[in-house]
Amino acid sequence: MKLFLPVLIFLALSFHPAPRPLPETCLSAEEKKLYDLIMQYRASKGLPSIAISSKLSLVAQTHVRDLSENYKEDPSNPAKVVCNPHSWSKKGKWTSCCYTSDHKRAQCMWDKPKEIAGYNSPGFEIAYYSSKGATAEEGLAGWKLSPGHNPLLINEGTWAQVKWKAIGIGLYKSYGVVWFGEIADDTPIEVCK
């Protein structure tokens, strides 16, 4: 019995469960179009392409579905904290997050790529809403005009020294999001069939 107990402890300590496989991720035709438009825009500014990331696309596609199904903004109540579209609901397999305009709770959003997809670096998101339905052209056109979003697309201002190595795309119903990351992701991704 004395030998048996140490062997059990050793086995228990040395057992590492296999990582949970990620769901298959693919880009819709409209998501692929958004990716291509962003890369064309970057090229027009003399910037390199960013590799599409399966992991960041999984996060983007998860987020647009969460926004579509669960996000409700109530700016009519000034006493209430307003959670913007970078927020995540309590209705998923993730930590909920109320992202406020003062960016005090930003870390919760930045950590989503690691939490959801095992992407080992923070991620940075741009998001948009269209009551007509999110499209590649409208999304990019709006982000290009936005002083808070355009700098991420073309590495200006705060983002000038950042080298994006991965990008993820998600469009669903009225929402579009793009995630940017600083480490490469060699997980393959294709256009959905």
CSV table of all heavy atoms in Angstrom, one decimal, residues 42-94:
chain,number,residue,atom,x,y,z
A,42,ARG,N,-5.1,48.4,-46.7
A,42,ARG,CA,-3.7,48.5,-46.1
A,42,ARG,C,-2.7,48.6,-47.2
A,42,ARG,O,-1.7,49.4,-47.1
A,42,ARG,CB,-3.4,47.2,-45.2
A,42,ARG,CG,-4.2,47.2,-43.9
A,42,ARG,CD,-3.9,46.0,-43.1
A,42,ARG,NE,-2.5,45.7,-42.8
A,42,ARG,CZ,-1.8,46.3,-41.9
A,42,ARG,NH1,-2.5,47.2,-41.0
A,42,ARG,NH2,-0.6,46.1,-41.7
A,43,ALA,N,-2.8,47.9,-48.3
A,43,ALA,CA,-1.9,47.9,-49.4
A,43,ALA,C,-1.8,49.4,-50.0
A,43,ALA,O,-0.8,49.9,-50.4
A,43,ALA,CB,-2.3,46.9,-50.5
A,44,SER,N,-3.0,50.0,-50.0
A,44,SER,CA,-3.0,51.4,-50.6
A,44,SER,C,-2.3,52.4,-49.7
A,44,SER,O,-1.9,53.5,-50.2
A,44,SER,CB,-4.5,51.9,-50.7
A,44,SER,OG,-5.1,52.2,-49.5
A,45,LYS,N,-2.0,52.0,-48.5
A,45,LYS,CA,-1.2,52.8,-47.5
A,45,LYS,C,0.2,52.3,-47.4
A,45,LYS,O,1.0,52.7,-46.5
A,45,LYS,CB,-1.9,52.8,-46.1
A,45,LYS,CG,-3.3,53.3,-46.1
A,45,LYS,CD,-3.4,54.8,-46.3
A,45,LYS,CE,-4.8,55.3,-46.0
A,45,LYS,NZ,-4.9,56.7,-46.2
A,46,GLY,N,0.6,51.3,-48.3
A,46,GLY,CA,1.9,50.8,-48.2
A,46,GLY,C,2.2,49.8,-47.1
A,46,GLY,O,3.4,49.6,-46.7
A,47,LEU,N,1.1,49.3,-46.5
A,47,LEU,CA,1.3,48.4,-45.4
A,47,LEU,C,1.1,46.9,-45.9
A,47,LEU,O,0.4,46.6,-46.8
A,47,LEU,CB,0.2,48.7,-44.4
A,47,LEU,CG,0.2,50.0,-43.7
A,47,LEU,CD1,-1.0,50.3,-43.0
A,47,LEU,CD2,1.5,50.1,-42.8
A,48,PRO,N,1.8,46.0,-45.1
A,48,PRO,CA,1.7,44.6,-45.5
A,48,PRO,C,0.4,44.0,-45.2
A,48,PRO,O,-0.4,44.5,-44.3
A,48,PRO,CB,2.8,43.9,-44.7
A,48,PRO,CG,2.9,44.8,-43.5
A,48,PRO,CD,2.7,46.2,-44.0
A,49,SER,N,0.1,42.9,-45.8
A,49,SER,CA,-1.1,42.1,-45.5
A,49,SER,C,-1.0,41.5,-44.1
A,49,SER,O,0.1,41.3,-43.6
A,49,SER,CB,-1.3,40.9,-46.5
A,49,SER,OG,-1.7,41.5,-47.7
A,50,ILE,N,-2.1,41.2,-43.5
A,50,ILE,CA,-2.1,40.5,-42.2
A,50,ILE,C,-2.7,39.1,-42.5
A,50,ILE,O,-3.8,39.0,-43.1
A,50,ILE,CB,-3.0,41.2,-41.2
A,50,ILE,CG1,-2.6,42.7,-41.1
A,50,ILE,CG2,-3.0,40.5,-39.8
A,50,ILE,CD1,-3.6,43.6,-40.3
A,51,ALA,N,-2.1,38.1,-42.0
A,51,ALA,CA,-2.6,36.7,-42.2
A,51,ALA,C,-4.0,36.5,-41.5
A,51,ALA,O,-4.1,36.9,-40.3
A,51,ALA,CB,-1.6,35.7,-41.7
A,52,ILE,N,-4.9,35.9,-42.1
A,52,ILE,CA,-6.2,35.6,-41.5
A,52,ILE,C,-6.0,34.5,-40.5
A,52,ILE,O,-5.2,33.6,-40.6
A,52,ILE,CB,-7.2,35.1,-42.6
A,52,ILE,CG1,-8.6,35.0,-42.0
A,52,ILE,CG2,-6.8,33.8,-43.2
A,52,ILE,CD1,-9.3,36.4,-41.7
A,53,SER,N,-6.6,34.7,-39.3
A,53,SER,CA,-6.4,33.8,-38.2
A,53,SER,C,-7.7,33.0,-37.9
A,53,SER,O,-8.8,33.6,-37.7
A,53,SER,CB,-6.1,34.6,-36.9
A,53,SER,OG,-6.3,33.9,-35.8
A,54,SER,N,-7.6,31.7,-37.8
A,54,SER,CA,-8.7,30.9,-37.5
A,54,SER,C,-9.2,31.2,-36.1
A,54,SER,O,-10.4,31.3,-35.8
A,54,SER,CB,-8.4,29.4,-37.6
A,54,SER,OG,-9.5,28.6,-37.3
A,55,LYS,N,-8.2,31.3,-35.2
A,55,LYS,CA,-8.6,31.5,-33.7
A,55,LYS,C,-9.2,32.9,-33.5
A,55,LYS,O,-10.2,33.0,-32.8
A,55,LYS,CB,-7.3,31.4,-32.9
A,55,LYS,CG,-6.8,30.0,-32.8
A,55,LYS,CD,-5.5,29.9,-31.9
A,55,LYS,CE,-5.1,28.4,-31.9
A,55,LYS,NZ,-3.9,28.3,-31.1
A,56,LEU,N,-8.7,33.9,-34.1
A,56,LEU,CA,-9.3,35.3,-34.0
A,56,LEU,C,-10.6,35.3,-34.7
A,56,LEU,O,-11.5,36.0,-34.3
A,56,LEU,CB,-8.3,36.4,-34.4
A,56,LEU,CG,-7.1,36.6,-33.6
A,56,LEU,CD1,-6.2,37.7,-34.1
A,56,LEU,CD2,-7.5,36.9,-32.1
A,57,SER,N,-10.8,34.6,-35.8
A,57,SER,CA,-12.1,34.5,-36.5
A,57,SER,C,-13.1,33.8,-35.7
A,57,SER,O,-14.3,34.2,-35.6
A,57,SER,CB,-11.9,33.9,-37.9
A,57,SER,OG,-11.1,34.7,-38.7
A,58,LEU,N,-12.7,32.8,-35.0
A,58,LEU,CA,-13.6,32.1,-34.0
A,58,LEU,C,-14.1,33.1,-33.0
A,58,LEU,O,-15.3,33.1,-32.7
A,58,LEU,CB,-12.9,30.9,-33.4
A,58,LEU,CG,-13.7,30.2,-32.2
A,58,LEU,CD1,-15.0,29.6,-32.7
A,58,LEU,CD2,-12.9,29.2,-31.6
A,59,VAL,N,-13.2,33.9,-32.4
A,59,VAL,CA,-13.6,34.9,-31.4
A,59,VAL,C,-14.5,35.9,-32.0
A,59,VAL,O,-15.6,36.3,-31.5
A,59,VAL,CB,-12.3,35.6,-30.8
A,59,VAL,CG1,-12.7,36.7,-29.8
A,59,VAL,CG2,-11.5,34.5,-30.1
A,60,ALA,N,-14.2,36.4,-33.2
A,60,ALA,CA,-15.0,37.4,-33.9
A,60,ALA,C,-16.4,36.9,-34.2
A,60,ALA,O,-17.4,37.5,-34.0
A,60,ALA,CB,-14.3,37.8,-35.2
A,61,GLN,N,-16.5,35.6,-34.7
A,61,GLN,CA,-17.8,35.1,-35.1
A,61,GLN,C,-18.6,34.7,-33.8
A,61,GLN,O,-19.8,34.9,-33.9
A,61,GLN,CB,-17.5,33.8,-36.0
A,61,GLN,CG,-17.0,34.2,-37.3
A,61,GLN,CD,-16.4,33.1,-38.1
A,61,GLN,OE1,-16.6,31.9,-37.8
A,61,GLN,NE2,-15.8,33.4,-39.2
A,62,THR,N,-17.9,34.3,-32.8
A,62,THR,CA,-18.6,34.1,-31.5
A,62,THR,C,-19.2,35.4,-31.0
A,62,THR,O,-20.3,35.5,-30.5
A,62,THR,CB,-17.7,33.5,-30.5
A,62,THR,OG1,-17.2,32.2,-31.0
A,62,THR,CG2,-18.4,33.2,-29.2
A,63,HIS,N,-18.4,36.5,-31.1
A,63,HIS,CA,-18.8,37.8,-30.5
A,63,HIS,C,-20.0,38.4,-31.3
A,63,HIS,O,-21.0,38.9,-30.7
A,63,HIS,CB,-17.7,38.8,-30.5
A,63,HIS,CG,-18.0,39.9,-29.6
A,63,HIS,ND1,-17.4,41.1,-29.7
A,63,HIS,CD2,-18.9,40.0,-28.5
A,63,HIS,CE1,-17.9,41.9,-28.7
A,63,HIS,NE2,-18.8,41.3,-28.1
A,64,VAL,N,-20.0,38.3,-32.7
A,64,VAL,CA,-21.1,38.9,-33.4
A,64,VAL,C,-22.4,38.1,-33.1
A,64,VAL,O,-23.5,38.8,-33.1
A,64,VAL,CB,-20.8,39.0,-34.9
A,64,VAL,CG1,-19.8,40.0,-35.2
A,64,VAL,CG2,-20.5,37.7,-35.6
A,65,ARG,N,-22.3,36.8,-32.9
A,65,ARG,CA,-23.5,36.1,-32.5
A,65,ARG,C,-24.0,36.5,-31.1
A,65,ARG,O,-25.2,36.6,-30.9
A,65,ARG,CB,-23.3,34.6,-32.7
A,65,ARG,CG,-23.4,34.2,-34.1
A,65,ARG,CD,-22.9,32.8,-34.4
A,65,ARG,NE,-23.0,32.4,-35.8
A,65,ARG,CZ,-22.3,32.9,-36.8
A,65,ARG,NH1,-21.4,33.7,-36.6
A,65,ARG,NH2,-22.5,32.4,-38.0
A,66,ASP,N,-23.1,36.6,-30.2
A,66,ASP,CA,-23.5,37.1,-28.9
A,66,ASP,C,-24.1,38.5,-28.9
A,66,ASP,O,-25.1,38.7,-28.3
A,66,ASP,CB,-22.2,37.1,-27.9
A,66,ASP,CG,-22.6,37.5,-26.5
A,66,ASP,OD1,-23.6,37.0,-26.0
A,66,ASP,OD2,-21.8,38.3,-26.0
A,67,LEU,N,-23.5,39.4,-29.7
A,67,LEU,CA,-24.0,40.7,-29.8
A,67,LEU,C,-25.4,40.7,-30.4
A,67,LEU,O,-26.4,41.3,-29.9
A,67,LEU,CB,-23.1,41.6,-30.7
A,67,LEU,CG,-21.8,42.0,-30.1
A,67,LEU,CD1,-20.9,42.6,-31.1
A,67,LEU,CD2,-22.0,43.0,-28.9
A,68,SER,N,-25.6,39.9,-31.5
A,68,SER,CA,-26.9,39.8,-32.1
A,68,SER,C,-28.0,39.3,-31.2
A,68,SER,O,-29.1,39.8,-31.2
A,68,SER,CB,-26.7,39.0,-33.4
A,68,SER,OG,-28.0,38.9,-34.1
A,69,GLU,N,-27.6,38.3,-30.5
A,69,GLU,CA,-28.6,37.6,-29.6
A,69,GLU,C,-28.8,38.2,-28.3
A,69,GLU,O,-29.9,38.1,-27.7
A,69,GLU,CB,-28.2,36.1,-29.5
A,69,GLU,CG,-28.3,35.4,-30.8
A,69,GLU,CD,-27.6,34.0,-30.8
A,69,GLU,OE1,-27.2,33.6,-29.7
A,69,GLU,OE2,-27.4,33.5,-31.9
A,70,ASN,N,-27.8,38.9,-27.7
A,70,ASN,CA,-27.9,39.4,-26.3
A,70,ASN,C,-27.6,40.8,-26.0
A,70,ASN,O,-27.8,41.3,-24.9
A,70,ASN,CB,-26.9,38.5,-25.5
A,70,ASN,CG,-27.2,37.0,-25.6
A,70,ASN,OD1,-28.4,36.6,-25.4
A,70,ASN,ND2,-26.2,36.2,-26.0
A,71,TYR,N,-27.0,41.6,-27.0
A,71,TYR,CA,-26.6,42.9,-26.6
A,71,TYR,C,-27.8,43.9,-26.7
A,71,TYR,O,-28.6,44.0,-27.6
A,71,TYR,CB,-25.6,43.4,-27.6
A,71,TYR,CG,-25.1,44.8,-27.3
A,71,TYR,CD1,-24.4,45.1,-26.2
A,71,TYR,CD2,-25.4,45.9,-28.2
A,71,TYR,CE1,-24.0,46.4,-25.9
A,71,TYR,CE2,-25.0,47.2,-27.9
A,71,TYR,CZ,-24.3,47.4,-26.8
A,71,TYR,OH,-23.9,48.7,-26.5
A,72,LYS,N,-28.0,44.6,-25.6
A,72,LYS,CA,-29.0,45.7,-25.5
A,72,LYS,C,-28.3,46.9,-24.9
A,72,LYS,O,-27.9,46.8,-23.7
A,72,LYS,CB,-30.2,45.2,-24.6
A,72,LYS,CG,-30.8,43.9,-25.1
A,72,LYS,CD,-31.7,44.2,-26.3
A,72,LYS,CE,-32.4,42.9,-26.7
A,72,LYS,NZ,-31.8,42.0,-27.6
A,73,GLU,N,-28.3,48.0,-25.6
A,73,GLU,CA,-27.7,49.2,-25.0
A,73,GLU,C,-28.9,50.1,-24.5
A,73,GLU,O,-29.9,50.2,-25.2
A,73,GLU,CB,-27.0,50.0,-26.1
A,73,GLU,CG,-26.3,51.2,-25.5
A,73,GLU,CD,-25.4,51.9,-26.6
A,73,GLU,OE1,-25.0,51.2,-27.6
A,73,GLU,OE2,-25.0,53.0,-26.4
A,74,ASP,N,-28.7,50.7,-23.3
A,74,ASP,CA,-29.8,51.6,-22.8
A,74,ASP,C,-29.2,52.9,-22.4
A,74,ASP,O,-29.0,53.2,-21.2
A,74,ASP,CB,-30.4,50.9,-21.6
A,74,ASP,CG,-31.6,51.7,-21.0
A,74,ASP,OD1,-32.0,52.7,-21.7
A,74,ASP,OD2,-32.0,51.4,-19.9
A,75,PRO,N,-28.9,53.8,-23.4
A,75,PRO,CA,-28.3,55.1,-23.1
A,75,PRO,C,-29.3,56.0,-22.5
A,75,PRO,O,-28.9,57.1,-22.0
A,75,PRO,CB,-27.8,55.6,-24.5
A,75,PRO,CG,-28.7,54.9,-25.5
A,75,PRO,CD,-29.1,53.5,-24.8
A,76,SER,N,-30.6,55.7,-22.4
A,76,SER,CA,-31.6,56.6,-21.9
A,76,SER,C,-31.5,56.6,-20.3
A,76,SER,O,-32.1,57.5,-19.7
A,76,SER,CB,-33.0,56.1,-22.3
A,76,SER,OG,-33.3,54.8,-21.8
A,77,ASN,N,-30.8,55.8,-19.7
A,77,ASN,CA,-30.6,55.7,-18.3
A,77,ASN,C,-29.2,56.2,-17.9
A,77,ASN,O,-28.3,55.4,-17.8
A,77,ASN,CB,-30.9,54.3,-17.8
A,77,ASN,CG,-30.9,54.2,-16.3
A,77,ASN,OD1,-30.5,55.2,-15.6
A,77,ASN,ND2,-31.3,53.1,-15.7
A,78,PRO,N,-29.0,57.5,-17.7
A,78,PRO,CA,-27.7,58.0,-17.4
A,78,PRO,C,-27.0,57.4,-16.1
A,78,PRO,O,-25.8,57.4,-15.9
A,78,PRO,CB,-27.8,59.5,-17.3
A,78,PRO,CG,-29.3,59.7,-17.1
A,78,PRO,CD,-30.0,58.5,-17.6
A,79,ALA,N,-27.8,57.0,-15.1
A,79,ALA,CA,-27.3,56.5,-13.9
A,79,ALA,C,-26.7,55.1,-14.1
A,79,ALA,O,-25.9,54.6,-13.3
A,79,ALA,CB,-28.4,56.5,-12.8
A,80,LYS,N,-27.2,54.4,-15.1
A,80,LYS,CA,-26.7,53.1,-15.4
A,80,LYS,C,-25.4,53.0,-16.2
A,80,LYS,O,-25.3,53.9,-17.1
A,80,LYS,CB,-27.8,52.3,-16.1
A,80,LYS,CG,-27.5,50.9,-16.4
A,80,LYS,CD,-28.7,50.3,-17.1
A,80,LYS,CE,-28.3,48.8,-17.5
A,80,LYS,NZ,-29.3,48.3,-18.4
A,81,VAL,N,-24.5,52.1,-15.9
A,81,VAL,CA,-23.3,52.0,-16.7
A,81,VAL,C,-23.7,51.5,-18.0
A,81,VAL,O,-24.5,50.5,-18.1
A,81,VAL,CB,-22.4,51.0,-16.0
A,81,VAL,CG1,-21.2,50.7,-16.9
A,81,VAL,CG2,-21.9,51.6,-14.7
A,82,VAL,N,-23.3,52.1,-19.1
A,82,VAL,CA,-23.6,51.7,-20.4
A,82,VAL,C,-22.5,50.8,-21.0
A,82,VAL,O,-21.3,51.2,-21.1
A,82,VAL,CB,-23.8,52.9,-21.4
A,82,VAL,CG1,-24.1,52.4,-22.8
A,82,VAL,CG2,-25.0,53.8,-20.9
A,83,CYS,N,-22.8,49.6,-21.3
A,83,CYS,CA,-21.9,48.6,-21.8
A,83,CYS,C,-21.9,48.8,-23.3
A,83,CYS,O,-23.0,48.6,-23.9
A,83,CYS,CB,-22.3,47.2,-21.4
A,83,CYS,SG,-22.4,47.0,-19.6
A,84,ASN,N,-20.8,49.1,-24.0
A,84,ASN,CA,-20.8,49.2,-25.4
A,84,ASN,C,-20.6,47.9,-26.1
A,84,ASN,O,-20.5,46.9,-25.5
A,84,ASN,CB,-19.7,50.3,-25.8
A,84,ASN,CG,-18.3,49.8,-25.6
A,84,ASN,OD1,-18.0,48.6,-25.7
A,84,ASN,ND2,-17.4,50.7,-25.3
A,85,PRO,N,-20.6,47.9,-27.5
A,85,PRO,CA,-20.6,46.6,-28.2
A,85,PRO,C,-19.3,45.8,-28.0
A,85,PRO,O,-19.3,44.7,-28.6
A,85,PRO,CB,-20.8,47.0,-29.6
A,85,PRO,CG,-21.5,48.3,-29.5
A,85,PRO,CD,-21.0,49.0,-28.3
A,86,HIS,N,-18.3,46.3,-27.3
A,86,HIS,CA,-17.2,45.4,-27.0
A,86,HIS,C,-17.4,44.5,-25.8
A,86,HIS,O,-16.6,43.7,-25.4
A,86,HIS,CB,-15.9,46.3,-26.8
A,86,HIS,CG,-15.5,47.1,-28.0
A,86,HIS,ND1,-15.2,46.5,-29.2
A,86,HIS,CD2,-15.4,48.4,-28.2
A,86,HIS,CE1,-14.9,47.4,-30.1
A,86,HIS,NE2,-15.0,48.6,-29.5
A,87,SER,N,-18.6,44.6,-25.3
A,87,SER,CA,-19.0,43.8,-24.1
A,87,SER,C,-19.4,42.4,-24.5
A,87,SER,O,-19.7,42.2,-25.7
A,87,SER,CB,-20.2,44.5,-23.4
A,87,SER,OG,-19.8,45.8,-23.0
A,88,TRP,N,-19.4,41.5,-23.5
A,88,TRP,CA,-19.8,40.1,-23.7
A,88,TRP,C,-20.9,39.8,-22.7
A,88,TRP,O,-20.8,40.1,-21.5
A,88,TRP,CB,-18.6,39.2,-23.6
A,88,TRP,CG,-17.6,39.3,-24.7
A,88,TRP,CD1,-16.8,40.4,-24.9
A,88,TRP,CD2,-17.4,38.4,-25.7
A,88,TRP,NE1,-16.0,40.1,-26.0
A,88,TRP,CE2,-16.3,38.9,-26.5
A,88,TRP,CE3,-17.9,37.1,-26.0
A,88,TRP,CZ2,-15.8,38.2,-27.6
A,88,TRP,CZ3,-17.4,36.4,-27.1
A,88,TRP,CH2,-16.4,37.0,-27.9
A,89,SER,N,-21.9,39.1,-23.1
A,89,SER,CA,-23.0,38.7,-22.3
A,89,SER,C,-22.7,37.7,-21.3
A,89,SER,O,-21.6,37.1,-21.3
A,89,SER,CB,-24.2,38.2,-23.1
A,89,SER,OG,-24.0,36.9,-23.5
A,90,LYS,N,-23.6,37.4,-20.4
A,90,LYS,CA,-23.5,36.3,-19.4
A,90,LYS,C,-24.0,35.0,-20.0
A,90,LYS,O,-24.2,34.0,-19.2
A,90,LYS,CB,-24.3,36.6,-18.1
A,90,LYS,CG,-23.7,37.9,-17.4
A,90,LYS,CD,-24.6,38.2,-16.2
A,90,LYS,CE,-24.0,39.5,-15.6
A,90,LYS,NZ,-24.9,40.0,-14.6
A,91,LYS,N,-24.4,34.9,-21.2
A,91,LYS,CA,-25.1,33.8,-21.8
A,91,LYS,C,-24.2,32.9,-22.7
A,91,LYS,O,-24.6,32.4,-23.7
A,91,LYS,CB,-26.3,34.3,-22.6
A,91,LYS,CG,-27.3,35.0,-21.7
A,91,LYS,CD,-28.5,35.4,-22.5
A,91,LYS,CE,-29.4,36.1,-21.5
A,91,LYS,NZ,-30.6,36.6,-22.2
A,92,GLY,N,-22.9,32.8,-22.3
A,92,GLY,CA,-22.0,31.9,-23.1
A,92,GLY,C,-21.0,31.3,-22.3
A,92,GLY,O,-20.9,31.4,-21.1
A,93,LYS,N,-20.1,30.5,-22.9
A,93,LYS,CA,-19.0,29.8,-22.3
A,93,LYS,C,-17.8,30.7,-22.2
A,93,LYS,O,-16.7,30.4,-22.7
A,93,LYS,CB,-18.7,28.5,-23.0
A,93,LYS,CG,-19.9,27.5,-22.9
A,93,LYS,CD,-19.6,26.2,-23.6
A,93,LYS,CE,-20.8,25.3,-23.5
A,93,LYS,NZ,-20.6,24.1,-24.3
A,94,TRP,N,-18.0,31.9,-21.6
A,94,TRP,CA,-16.9,32.9,-21.4
A,94,TRP,C,-17.3,33.7,-20.2
A,94,TRP,O,-18.4,33.7,-19.7
A,94,TRP,CB,-16.8,33.7,-22.7
A,94,TRP,CG,-18.1,34.4,-23.1
A,94,TRP,CD1,-18.8,35.4,-22.5
A,94,TRP,CD2,-19.0,34.0,-24.2
A,94,TRP,NE1,-20.0,35.7,-23.1
A,94,TRP,CE2,-20.1,34.8,-24.1
A,94,TRP,CE3,-18.9,33.0,-25.1
A,94,TRP,CZ2,-21.1,34.7,-25.1
A,94,TRP,CZ3,-19.9,32.9,-26.1
A,94,TRP,CH2,-21.0,33.7,-26.0
